[in-house]
Amino acid sequence: MKRKILVTEEDLNTKSRILLAAKQEFFEKGFHGASMRSIAERAGLTTGAIYNLFENKDFIFKTLIGNTFDELLAFLVHDSELEEKQYNMKTSDLSFITEISRRKFIKIVDFFYSNWDAMKLLVCCSKGSSYEHIFDKAIRFVEEKTVEWLKRDNIKVSKQTKFFIHVMVSTYMEHLKEIFHHDLKKAQALSYAIDINGYHCAGWKQYWMSQKEY
């Protein structure tokens, strides 16, 4: 039987101080450059006080991220509106494809700004942490969803096509990360996302229209 751990109000207050100090430290120095000693100094605590509540620096980082990445992943690979709409990259009108995709981009931007701090940490500050390569997982999930969608439209997915999808999905992710690298205001991010959406949709449509069997 697991021992029940009692957390006092003082522990909760201390934890909040540590998390706030750690967030500031990670934003300024990144995970790799941050240290438990500096976090303790920012929080006005001893390193011992931090280790009483957090096993290590990575555990603090995970606590700050919470479930944000899992929520993002679920959002990227499941979209009821996209799943309900029946369209084919070869036969559907580009304006229809662009509009459906535009709606998803807007939802993604809304998610980003509702979870700004955690997303900023993931995108810009995670090097050296257990989250450093976490977007590889997102890329794989979106690739799998894309292949599934193409097969549903009776489009042959060859090895070469899978590699193309990998490159395009990776590029898509990097484009979204630019919102955080440049600290765009939400209105700027929405405008940027709509532009990128138009760019991607036109490129994907042209690719599938001209795709040959390899």
Side-chain angles (χ1 to χ4, degrees):
M1 180 181 295
K2 291 185 177 179
R3 181 173 62 88
K4 186 175 181 180
I5 300 175
L6 299 177
V7 180
T8 66
E9 184 176 347
E10 183 179 354
D11 287 335
L12 291 175
N13 290 336
T14 301
K15 185 176 181 179
S16 296
R17 287 167 61 188
I18 293 168
L19 291 175
L20 178 59
K23 185 189 295 186
Q24 294 169 338
E25 182 80 358
F26 293 141
F27 277 149
E28 289 183 16
K29 302 177 183 177
F31 179 87
H32 182 72
S35 70
M36 294 292 269
R37 182 179 296 278
S38 293
I39 292 171
E41 289 175 357
R42 284 178 183 269
L45 299 166
T46 64
T47 53
I50 294 183
Y51 282 114
N52 283 337
L53 293 171
F54 296 98
E55 183 178 340
N56 51 43
K57 186 172 65 170
D58 196 68
F59 194 89
I60 297 176
F61 196 83
K62 287 182 179 180
T63 303
L64 288 169
I65 300 301
N67 296 322
T68 301
F69 181 78
D70 291 335
E71 291 172 8
L72 174 65
L73 198 61
F75 184 80
L76 287 173
V77 299
H78 298 294
D79 190 298
S80 58
E81 183 174 26
L82 284 173
E83 291 168 356
E84 289 171 6
K85 301 289 184 181
Q86 296 296 313
Y87 64 92
N88 185 299
M89 286 301 292
K90 288 187 176 182
T91 59
S92 296
D93 186 76
L94 176 59
S95 62
F96 175 72
I97 294 170
T98 303
E99 175 58 23
I100 295 299
S101 184
R102 184 187 70 85
R103 294 176 192 174
K104 181 158 188 174
F105 264 80
I106 290 173
K107 290 179 182 178
I108 289 172
V109 172
D110 284 340
F111 178 86
F112 284 171
Y113 285 83
S114 295
N115 299 275
W116 179 267
D117 285 356
M119 286 301 306
K120 175 79 174 179
L121 288 170
L122 280 171
V123 173
C124 302
C125 310
S126 63
K127 185 176 181 180
S129 76
S130 58
Y131 284 94
E132 181 175 357
H133 302 293
I134 198 68
F135 280 93
D136 291 346
K137 182 177 180 181
I139 290 169
R140 286 195 301 272
F141 270 63
V142 176
E143 285 174 13
E144 291 168 4
K145 189 72 174 179
T146 302
V147 169
E148 182 183 309
W149 165 54
L150 293 172
K151 286 182 177 179
R152 184 197 67 191
D153 288 341
N154 296 314
I155 295 176
K156 183 179 179 181
V157 183
S158 65
K159 184 176 181 180
Q160 180 172 323
T161 301
K162 285 184 178 180
F163 177 70
F164 175 80
I165 291 169
H166 169 73
V167 173
M168 289 299 99
V169 172
S170 298
T171 303
Y172 167 89
M173 290 293 177
E174 290 305 313
H175 283 159
L176 290 176
K177 289 179 183 180
E178 290 299 312
I179 291 172
F180 298 96
H181 288 309
H182 295 277
D183 290 322
L184 297 184
K185 299 295 185 183
K186 188 174 182 179
Q188 294 175 311
L190 283 169
S191 178
Y192 165 72
I194 290 170
D195 287 344
I196 289 299
N197 173 64
Y199 169 82
H200 272 276
C201 286
W204 275 77
K205 174 71 173 179
Q206 180 61 37
Y207 175 80
W208 297 116
M209 287 290 292
S210 61
Q211 180 70 353
K212 297 179 180 179
E213 300 293 336
Y214 291 98

